């Protein structure tokens, strides 16, 4: 649990380091001669980036595998059972895993770049091997972000709609509350009348009762909300999300044009002016603030999209119902996403901040076709997800108008749910 907590702290540091660097650069530009800000210099930023890269490698390749193997270990046969035997077995498993990864990287290097110089460079464990291995992990993280972020950007509207109170337009909350109360009482009477020997009926009724209580809680919250919260906060948040998402797509579109015109738009196209020498944004401090907001928005969207994918849907942690193995897997996933976020932000042109430390030593960042394809795929997938999100309601209404709703042409899983109507009947599509 301590190792998982440390890994989450490293993930938070990797996410916060890029906004911290952008803010530091703008502060140094605004107050170049201020004595109290002299500690905020390029050497400090470089050191923090190197530490973030070092601890990311440490957590990803040592601490989290150690935690998993220690959790599964029991000690070798013939040894006295206890902590020492489990630690010994875990260390042996880690050594075997390191040899396996070393062999895989050797084979991959021989297949991709069969050169004597590249093979000899693998002997240099600290200067080449670990950054090369971390580059592969970062590439996988960027591909995972490419899959999660567009889904999360469209999913954010649904998540915020669940957290906020929606406007009550043509709705009678009192009548809905009355209906829900009657349903709750009816299910409670059934539950009291069912014999304890019929276990499956009791479980089904308890599930229905929990769903009805959840709906009742939501209705009570909507009823208690003020008019400002219902009619102003919800539309304002939805408009803000739409603006941020559209602005992200526009930045990626402009970055694609820059890539086609200017070679310095590549992530490794220029060394950069350094910390405190020039502004990283065209609009100065305001542009830097917008970049930071977009970076945080992309990170939150990527996490939401990660847990919204069908493959990782059962991976979501739940309070008082999450195994330690699942906690370790979640920590590793968050670490991979957070470590790839600075690379994705620079690759998509969200920020012009040149990556420092081992984060900027990725060979694939210099490949024009990979970077251009990444930008094109991100723009296309985000646009398609948003179009599908905002046209789903219109599509459902057209299907109902044409009488095709009974054919179950919709892919929305929520359409098959049973919903109470205003007159107390149940509508099922």
């Amino acid at each position: 649990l301590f190792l998982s907590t440390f890994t989450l702290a490293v993930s938070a540091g990797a996410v916060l380091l890029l906004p911290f660097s952008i803010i530091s650069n703008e502060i140094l530009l605004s107050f170049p001669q201020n004595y109290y800000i002299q500690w905020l210099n390029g050497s400090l930023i470089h050191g923090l980036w190197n530490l973030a890269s070092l601890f990311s490698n440490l957590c990803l390749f040592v601490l989290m595998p150690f935690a998993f193997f220690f959790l599964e270990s029991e000690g070798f046969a013939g040894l006295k059972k206890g902590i020492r035997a489990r630690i010994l077995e875990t260390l042996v498993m880690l050594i075997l895993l390191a040899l396996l990864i070393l062999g895989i990287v050797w084979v991959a290097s021989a297949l991709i770049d069969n050169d004597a110089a590249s093979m000899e460079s693998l002997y240099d464990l600290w200067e080449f091997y670990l950054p090369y291995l971390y580059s592969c992990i970062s590439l996988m993280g960027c591909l995972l972000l490419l899959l999660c972020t567009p889904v999360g950007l469209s999913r954010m509207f649904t998540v915020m709609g669940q957290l906020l109170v929606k406007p009550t337009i043509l709705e009678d909350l009192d009548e809905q509350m009355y209906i829900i109360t009657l349903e709750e009482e009816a299910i409670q009477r059934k539950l009291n009348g069912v014999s304890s020997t019929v276990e499956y009926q009791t479980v089904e009724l308890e599930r229905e009762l929990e769903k009805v209580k959840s709906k009742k809680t939501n209705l009570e919250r909507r009823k208690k909300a003020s008019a400002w919260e219902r009619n102003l906060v919800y539309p304002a948040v939805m408009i803000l999300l739409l603006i941020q998402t559209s602005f992200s797509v526009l930045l990626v579109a402009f970055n694609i044009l820059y890539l086609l015109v200017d070679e310095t738009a590549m992530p490794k196209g220029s060394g950069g002016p350094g910390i405190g020498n020039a502004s990283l944004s065209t609009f100065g401090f305001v542009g830097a603030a917008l970049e930071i907001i977009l970076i945080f928005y992309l990170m939150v969207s990527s996490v939401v999209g990660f847990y919204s994918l069908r493959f990782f849907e059962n991976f979501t942690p739940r309070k008082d119902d999450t195994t330690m193995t699942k906690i370790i897997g979640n920590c590793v996933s968050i670490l991979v996403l957070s470590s790839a976020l600075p690379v994705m932000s620079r690759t998509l042109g969200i920020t012009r901040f040149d990556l420092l430390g081992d984060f900027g030593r990725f060979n694939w960042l210099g490949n024009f076709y990979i970077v251009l394809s990444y930008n094109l795929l991100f723009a296309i997938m985000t646009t398609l997800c948003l179009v599908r999100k905002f046209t789903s309601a219109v599509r459902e209404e057209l299907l109902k108008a044409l009488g095709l709703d009974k054919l179950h042409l919709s892919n929305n899983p929520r359409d098959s749910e049973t919903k109470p109507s205003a007159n107390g009947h149940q509508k099922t599509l």
Side-chain angles (χ1 to χ4, degrees):
L1 187 63
F2 172 76
L3 294 179
S4 301
T5 307
F6 180 75
T7 303
L8 278 183
V10 172
S11 304
V15 172
L16 295 174
L17 191 54
L18 184 57
F20 175 75
S21 303
I22 296 173
I23 292 175
S24 302
N25 184 71
E26 298 300 326
I27 289 176
L28 289 174
L29 282 176
S30 303
F31 308 99
Q33 304 298 328
N34 196 322
Y35 172 77
Y36 298 100
I37 310 180
Q38 294 304 313
W39 60 272
L40 196 63
N41 50 32
S43 176
L44 174 66
I45 305 299
H46 278 271
L48 288 175
W49 279 89
N50 286 325
L51 284 176
S53 176
L54 173 64
F55 283 121
S56 297
N57 279 294
L58 183 66
C59 292
L60 199 58
F61 301 119
V62 179
L63 298 184
M64 286 292 96
F66 179 86
F68 176 75
F69 289 133
F70 181 78
L71 194 67
E72 300 293 329
S73 65
E74 297 179 356
F76 291 113
L79 295 177
K80 185 179 179 180
K81 301 298 182 182
I83 297 296
R84 291 185 179 181
R86 294 179 63 187
I87 290 178
L88 179 61
E89 182 183 353
T90 304
L91 291 177
V92 172
M93 292 296 296
L94 278 179
I95 293 173
L96 294 176
L97 180 63
L99 292 176
L100 177 64
I101 294 177
L102 180 64
I104 291 175
V105 173
W106 269 92
V107 172
S109 179
L111 292 175
I112 296 173
D113 189 10
N114 192 7
D115 188 10
S118 64
M119 299 299 289
E120 290 178 0
S121 62
L122 285 175
Y123 289 110
D124 196 347
L125 185 67
W126 186 262
E127 291 294 328
F128 181 82
Y129 181 77
L130 283 179
Y132 178 78
L133 190 60
Y134 193 64
S135 174
C136 298
I137 298 296
S138 178
L139 178 59
M140 293 174 56
C142 287
L143 294 177
L144 185 60
L145 282 175
L146 181 62
L147 185 64
C148 297
T149 310
V151 177
L153 289 174
S154 62
R155 178 71 178 163
M156 282 292 289
F157 293 91
T158 304
V159 172
M160 295 307 296
Q162 294 173 352
L163 295 176
L164 298 175
V165 178
K166 297 181 181 180
T168 54
I169 302 175
L170 301 178
E171 285 184 295
D172 191 351
L173 294 180
D174 294 328
E175 184 178 356
Q176 293 186 23
M177 181 66 72
Y178 180 69
I179 295 169
I180 290 293
T181 304
L182 291 178
E183 288 183 6
E184 183 182 6
E185 292 175 354
I187 295 174
Q188 191 66 51
R189 283 195 298 269
K190 287 182 181 179
L191 193 59
N192 295 332
V194 171
S195 175
S196 59
T197 57
V198 189
E199 186 177 351
Y200 70 94
Q201 290 187 4
T202 305
V203 173
E204 290 294 328
L205 288 174
E206 286 178 352
R207 288 180 182 175
E208 291 183 12
L209 185 62
E210 289 295 327
K211 292 180 181 179
V212 170
K213 286 183 178 180
S214 177
K215 292 178 182 178
K216 185 178 179 181
T217 304
N218 292 332
L219 282 175
E220 288 176 349
R221 186 190 169 203
R222 293 182 63 185
K223 192 174 180 181
K224 292 178 182 179
S226 63
W228 288 97
E229 185 179 358
R230 287 198 305 263
N231 302 322
L232 183 62
V233 176
Y234 181 83
V237 171
M238 291 295 129
I239 292 173
L240 185 61
L241 289 178
L242 183 60
I243 290 174
Q244 287 182 340
T245 307
S246 304
F247 192 58
S248 303
V249 176
L250 285 176
L251 281 179
V252 175
F254 283 123
N255 188 55
I256 293 173
L257 295 178
Y258 287 145
L259 287 172
L260 296 174
V261 175
D262 192 0
E263 294 182 357
T264 59
M266 291 287 293
K268 298 184 71 173
S270 61
I275 298 294
N277 295 326
S279 179
L280 300 173
S281 176
T282 309
F283 302 101
F285 194 83
V286 178
L290 290 176
E291 289 179 1
I292 292 172
I293 293 173
L294 283 179
I295 289 170
F296 281 120
Y297 180 58
L298 289 178
M299 183 60 198
V300 174
S301 301
S302 65
V303 174
V304 172
F306 176 77
Y307 290 115
S308 298
L309 296 175
R310 292 183 180 180
F311 186 75
F312 300 105
E313 200 169 13
N314 296 326
F315 210 53
T316 307
R318 292 177 176 84
K319 185 179 179 181
D320 299 328
D321 189 24
T322 306
T323 60
M324 197 65 220
T325 306
K326 189 177 290 187
I327 290 175
I328 293 173
N330 278 277
C331 291
V332 172
S333 304
I334 297 297
L335 179 63
V336 171
L337 292 176
S338 61
S339 300
L341 179 67
V343 185
M344 187 191 74
S345 301
R346 181 65 181 92
T347 306
L348 295 178
I350 303 297
T351 178
R352 294 294 171 186
F353 183 78
D354 287 305
L355 302 173
L356 301 172
D358 290 335
F359 281 92
R361 298 171 60 181
F362 305 140
N363 295 327
W364 59 271
L365 289 176
N367 192 314
F368 172 77
Y369 297 103
I370 292 179
V371 175
L372 182 63
S373 302
Y374 193 89
N375 281 263
L376 286 172
L377 284 174
F378 183 86
I380 293 172
M381 291 175 64
T382 305
T383 305
L384 289 178
C385 288
L386 288 177
V387 169
R388 184 179 181 276
K389 175 69 178 177
F390 288 105
T391 59
S392 59
V394 178
R395 186 171 62 250
E396 295 303 325
E397 292 298 327
L398 287 175
L399 289 176
K400 285 190 286 185
L402 296 174
L404 300 177
D405 54 313
K406 297 180 181 179
L407 298 178
H408 302 286
L409 299 176
S410 173
N411 294 324
N412 194 347
R414 288 172 298 175
D415 290 342
S416 60
E417 296 178 357
T418 304
K419 303 178 182 179
S421 62
N423 56 6
H425 296 287
Q426 300 292 334
K427 295 190 298 182
T428 303
L429 298 182

